[in-house]
Amino acid sequence: MCGIIGYTGPRQAAPILLDALKKLEYRGYDSAGMAVISLDAIQVRKMRGRLQLLANMTRDGRDLPGTVGIGHTRWATHGEPSYYNSHPHLSSSGRFAVVHNGIIENYRPLKDMLIAKGYTFLSATDTEVISNLMEYCDQGDLARTLMAAVKHLQGSYALGVLSADEPDRIAAVRRDSPLIVGRGEGENFIVSDIPAILSLTRDVYLMKDGEVALLDPEKITFFDPYGEQFDKESFHVDWDVSAAEKGGYEHFMMKEMMEQPTALRETIRPRIKDGRFVLDGLQLDPDWVKSLSMVHIVACGSAYHAGRLGKNLLEGRLGIPVDVDIASEFRYRQPILKPEHLVVIISQSGETADSIAALREAKGKGVKTLAIVNVVGSTIAREADYTLYTWAGPEIAVATTKGYTTQVAALALLTCCLAQERGQMSGEELQQMEALLMKLPDAAEEVLSDHKEVQRLASLFFNHKDIFFIGRGIDYSLSLEGSLKLKEISYIHSEAQPAGELKHGTISLIQPGTLVIALATGKRLRDKTISNIQEVRARGAVVLALCLEHDEEIESVADHVLRVPFLCEELEPILAILPLQLFAYYVAALNGNDVDKPRNLAKSVTVE
Ligand code: M6R
C-alpha cells in the first residue's frame, strides 16, 4: 500500500525523502513522487514506475532544492499508475500539495462540488479532491485548514500536506491508515512505518484517528479531533536498525525465514514463568474466562491460515466452538456475537483495513476483543481490549514467514493460558506443553539448517504451470498457507484442496506430470491422505509428500519426500510450514521474480 514520508529541518529534503521511500518500497507501489518547497513555491517530481527512476530523474534528489518536503509511493486504487495519478497532488493554484494513503469514499460528490466552484482536476484519483479542498477551506493557517478540509472526507486517510504560504511546515492527520510522527534534533518527520526513519530518529509519536500534527523544524504541535492543542507522549523505539535491513541475505524473505527460531523464542519464552502460562497484556477476569462459550477468530491471508490452526488448538483444549472467518466476510455478515464470546483478531501489521473494521464491528457489539499483532502501537494493537504481541521483529518481505509462525505460537500460548485458567489442562499436561513449546525454536532451527533437498526439488519444478496442495485436517490448513506462499511470490497457479474433496471436482485437472504436494504430517489422518496420493498418482500426477521423519511407507507412494521432525500434533504445523516457505522462495528466485516485492501485492493492505 502507499508509503508516506515528510521532512522539515535544515538539510536538503529530497535525498532524505528518497532514502526513506526506498525503505517503504516493501509496502508495494507502482509510482513515486516528491513535493518540496523552494523559493516559496512547491516543486513536484513524480513518475510511474520504480523509485530508482525518480532518483535518476532528480540526481538522487540533489536537483530538487528545499528543506521541507513530502514523498509518496503509490499503490494504485483509483486510476491507473501514471504521471498524473501519482502523488503528490497539487491544488488548482499549486499552493497546496498532498500525499495520501487510504481511500476517500465520497470523492465523487466532492469532486463535482469543487468542479462546480471552478477547481480543476488533472488525475483520476480520489486524493486530488483533498488538495483542492485545502484551497477551498483555506483559513490562512495550515493546521486549521487541514482540520476544516478533513471534515468533508469520508473513508480512510493518512495525509501529509504542504502549503507554499507556510514554507517551513508540514501538517499531517490520519484516520484508519497508518501515520507516525518522528522527532529529531532540529528536524522532524512524518512516515507510514517506523523502520523507514529508524536511521534518523528513534523518538516517535503514534498518531490516533483524527489527531492533527503540525511540524516545524524545531517543534511539533498536536491538536485533538476537536482542534484543541494537547501534549502528546512520545515513544522510544529500541529495536535494532539492522533488524530492518537485509543482514547479508539476498532477500528479506530468506533473512526472515532464518529468523524464525529467534522470533519463536522471543514470542514463547517470556510467556512461560515458573511452569505457568503468563500472557502480558491479558488481564482477563477469571469468572469471564470460565464463562467463555465461543471464540471467533478473524483475519486475512496468512493470518487467517494461522487462525485455522488456532481453531484446532482452542477447540481441542477448551472444548468450545471456534469459528474462523476472513475479515472481509466477517465484517459484512452480521455475525452472532454474545457477551460470553471472545473475538480474536490476528494481524502481523495491525493495519489491515478489513481486520480493523472487523475489530470495530465486534467492539461495537460489546464483545471482548483480543488482538494477536506484531507491529507495536499499530491500530489493531491499540484498539483491541487485549493485545498479545508476537515478538517477531520487523517483517519487510511481502510474503509473511516469521509473522505467520509466531502467530501460530501465540495461539498455542493463548490456548494454554485459557485452558489453565479454566482448569482444563492438568499440571502434567501444562508441563508437557511448556516443554514442547520450549523445544520448538531449536526444532525449527534444525529444519532450517539444511535446505539442499528443498532447493533441489524447487529446481525440478520451478517451471510448472499449476501446483496442487492436498492435506486433511491441520495438513489442509497448512496446505492453504503453503499454496498461498508459493503463488504469491512465484506467480505459479496453485490451489489447496482438502485431500478428500479432490474427487468432487478438482481431480479432473490432474494430468500426467502435474505436481501435487501432499501433506501428511498429522498422524490421525495420514492413512487417508495416502489413499488420496494413490488416486492422483493413478492419474499421472507427480507427488511430493511432506511427512514426519521415520515415515517409511510414504516412500513407496510418493515420487519425492520431504521430512520434518515430530514434536507434537498441535505444534507440528510450525515446523511443517518451514520447508514449504523455502520451496516457495526457491521457486520464485529461480523464476527471477522480485521475491520481496511480488507484483500487485502490498505488505499491509490498508484499503478495503
Ligand atoms: O498484516 P496482516 O497479518 O493483517 O496481513 C494479512 C495478509 O494481508 C497477509 O498475511 C498476506 O496474506 C501475506 N502477503 C501472505 O504472505
Side-chain angles (χ1 to χ4, degrees), residues 300-303 346-350 352 355 398-400 407 484-485 488 605:
C300 301
S302 294
I346 311 176
S347 174
Q348 187 284 130
S349 63
T352 300
S355 303
V398 165
T400 182
Q407 282 164 354
L484 175 65
K485 209 83 321 176
E488 71 178 322
V605 182

